[in-house]
Amino acid sequence: MMRLPEFDYVRAESVEEALALLNGHDDAMLLSAGLSLIPAMKLRFSTPGLLVDISGLTSLKNIERLGGRIRIGALCSHAELIASEHVPDLLRQAAASIGDPHVRNRGTIGGNIARPDPSADLPTALVALEAEIQLAGEEGRRAVSAEEFFLGLFSTAMMDDEIIIAVEIDGARNGAAGYEKMAHPASGGALVAAAVSLAVDGGRIGRATVAMGGLTVTPRRCRSVEEALSGRLLSDSDLSLVVRGIRTDVGEDMIGDHVASEEYRLAVAQVIARRAVTKAIDRM
Amino acid sequence: MILTVAVNGQDYSEEVEPRLLLVDFLRDSLGLVGANKGCDTSVCGACTVIVDGRTAKACSMLAVQAEGSRITTIEGLAGNGKLHPLQQAFWDNHGLQCGFCTPGMILTAMAMLEENPRPTVEEIRDGLKGNICRCTGYEGIIKSIQAATNEAAGP
């Protein structure tokens, strides 16, 4: 078994203290449950000199409706998301599909999005929900759209001296939703995932947002698919032409690995996307 | 740093390095070797223990993250010379072969039954997603957990 390298550890008592520690140390990293970070540290992918444990910051554990928006604290666990009636259905479906009960009990939304890889579930759902990531730094707070937040493998728009405070979603984004994925059999992570959010207008699909995970390094909004969906009759069940747009939307950015090649992922994506659309319509 | 933690009802106060994994603290510092090290990558669940009422994969947690917590390991289940009903059910229903996954299975089942005292087979399977068994094909495990719920629920 891999031993971890040496590091210092401190428990932050407040967001301000956590920020001061991040600012004061070049090699400080934040720790919530540690379900991505500790495995990464075992493999030496991450080598922090200081771990700042923020898991005790209760101010980041609330889920609330503020005006027309849902605000989810960064330290809310996946289990808490699933149990909350405020959280949009698409995000609850994505959270419910994560790993296993042990991971869902302790893993947090902040942790899931702070070190994203293509197999993470919440980033894909948040891109489809057009969510906003709320960040705090010593300079103040700022918001970044989900699509602009996820930049690459383990890479986000968050600066080294910032902390994710919350995720905000427009309260109106609770339309028909379908999250479907092909899961890795051991880890439960997404090999390919589709997050679909549909507004309904009479008997037709109104505005649709679709994001695919596992095809590109970061979640990909599939605007060709969205255009093909918008205006369709709900009863029209032949979705094969709709999902063809995925290839266009993904373009040259396809990824593949020893578990699932690019071709395999693209083929699976057609099926997963169809299932997600069907699920969303069924759940209306 | 000093770690203060209660394990199976007993209080401990030990000097630990921050980098000490919870599974190594339990096994090496406390001699509680029931939590097994299977995959080292947080997928197999052989290291599952209960921390403050929720299951945790001890291979992917620092001991210091359990500061002030109450931990239950498999060694904490039997008492007064009697097996816990779940342990007895696994014994009676052939719920193990090599036994490597068993402590994790039993603790996961225990936490599952706290939340949902009468799970369906589907719910049991779902609840065991984080615990891999290479021997049994899970049938004996599911039967054991069902037997334990029937026992608890009474006639």
Side-chain angles (χ1 to χ4, degrees):
Chain A
M1 173 159 268
M2 294 288 285
R3 269 164 67 77
L4 295 173
E6 289 186 343
F7 54 85
D8 292 321
Y9 169 93
V10 65
R11 222 166 274 118
E13 307 276 308
S14 67
V15 172
E16 291 67 37
E17 186 189 346
L19 290 172
L21 287 163
L22 287 178
N23 252 303
H25 296 85
D26 269 340
D27 57 359
M29 289 184 75
L30 299 170
L31 178 70
S32 53
L35 291 165
S36 349
L37 185 55
I38 291 174
M41 287 170 69
K42 284 187 187 176
L43 294 170
R44 308 305 192 259
F45 286 164
S46 296
T47 49
L50 172 67
L51 276 190
V52 179
D53 188 336
I54 55 168
S55 59
L57 299 183
T58 50
S59 64
L60 303 184
K61 294 188 186 181
N62 300 314
I63 299 175
E64 31 190 9
R65 280 197 92 89
L66 295 171
R69 297 175 72 71
I70 314 292
R71 186 182 170 84
I72 301 168
L75 289 179
C76 289
S77 72
H78 307 308
E80 285 164 349
L81 260 56
I82 295 161
S84 167
E85 56 184 6
H86 293 311
V87 173
D89 185 37
L90 183 59
L91 190 57
R92 288 164 73 184
Q93 286 183 43
S97 79
I98 288 175
D100 60 55
H102 314 313
V103 172
R104 292 194 294 271
N105 272 334
R106 299 179 47 81
T108 63
I109 181 167
N112 196 263
I113 69 177
R115 292 186 79 257
D117 72 60
S119 69
D121 296 287
L122 302 192
T124 307
L126 292 175
V127 168
L129 287 168
E130 298 174 307
E132 245 181 26
I133 317 300
Q134 303 277 331
L135 300 167
E138 288 203 318
E139 323 282 287
R141 306 213 161 176
R142 64 188 183 111
V144 180
S145 75
E147 206 171 350
E148 288 167 356
F149 181 75
F150 300 110
L151 297 179
L153 186 61
F154 306 138
S155 171
T156 68
M158 181 168 69
M159 307 303 285
D160 286 340
D161 57 357
E162 283 182 314
I163 178 175
I164 301 169
I165 295 291
V167 172
E168 279 195 9
I169 302 168
D170 184 340
R173 299 309 308 276
N174 206 9
Y179 184 80
E180 282 284 337
K181 77 189 204 192
M182 169 177 268
H184 186 287
S187 71
L191 291 173
V192 176
V196 172
S197 176
L198 305 175
V200 179
D201 197 3
R204 293 184 181 271
I205 296 175
R207 187 169 183 257
T209 50
V210 176
M212 298 293 298
L215 301 181
T216 49
V217 176
T218 56
R220 178 63 52 103
R221 271 291 289 274
C222 287
R223 289 180 164 89
S224 312
V225 178
E226 291 172 5
E227 270 171 41
L229 279 173
S230 187
R232 279 175 66 87
L233 283 169
L234 288 175
S235 53
D236 189 346
S237 56
D238 183 0
L239 296 165
S240 35
L241 293 181
V242 169
V243 298
R244 262 185 9 185
I246 294 172
R247 181 180 275 278
T248 316
D249 293 322
V250 163
E252 298 294 306
D253 301 328
M254 278 289 314
I255 59 170
D257 62 12
H258 60 286
V259 178
S261 68
E262 292 178 18
E263 289 74 30
Y264 184 74
R265 285 174 192 257
L266 196 52
V268 167
Q270 318 289 311
V271 177
I272 297 296
R274 283 205 302 270
R275 285 185 187 169
V277 173
T278 306
K279 187 177 190 181
I281 292 172
D282 285 346
R283 286 171 79 90
M284 237 163 232
Chain B
M1 51 195 294
I2 301 285
L3 168 67
T4 306
V5 67
V7 183
N8 300 327
Q10 192 172 334
D11 290 323
Y12 294 92
S13 205
E14 303 280 322
E15 176 69 40
V16 298
E17 282 187 294
R19 65 170 166 160
L20 183 66
L21 296 169
L22 180 62
V23 70
D24 289 328
F25 173 70
L26 293 169
R27 292 178 61 85
D28 300 336
S29 308
L30 302 188
L32 298 170
V33 295
N36 289 316
K37 301 202 285 190
C39 68
D40 200 11
T41 52
S42 82
V43 269
C44 80
C47 64
T48 305
V49 293
I50 296 182
V51 179
D52 292 331
R54 297 176 306 170
T55 52
K57 293 182 180 180
C59 76
S60 299
M61 194 172 158
L62 305 174
V64 293
Q65 286 179 277
E67 170 64 32
S69 292
R70 308 191 60 77
I71 298 177
T72 305
T73 70
I74 192 68
E75 290 89 349
L77 261 53
N80 297 323
K82 275 189 58 170
L83 293 177
H84 184 281
L86 269 167
Q87 290 174 308
Q88 190 63 51
F90 270 67
W91 178 268
D92 293 335
N93 292 278
H94 201 40
L96 66 152
Q97 291 180 27
C98 81
F100 197 75
C101 75
T102 309
M105 287 289 179
I106 289 178
L107 291 169
T108 299
M110 196 167 93
M112 189 196 308
L113 296 180
E114 289 273 305
E115 290 263 308
N116 180 4
R118 303 280 280 162
T120 62
V121 171
E122 266 322 295
E123 286 169 334
I124 294 174
R125 283 189 179 277
D126 242 20
L128 296 179
K129 280 266 163 68
N131 296 80
I132 296 178
C133 174
R134 299 290 281 136
C135 294
T136 66
Y138 302 93
E139 292 298 323
I141 294 171
I142 292 165
K143 213 165 144 240
S144 301
I145 295 172
Q146 285 182 305
T149 67
N150 291 334
E151 180 69 29

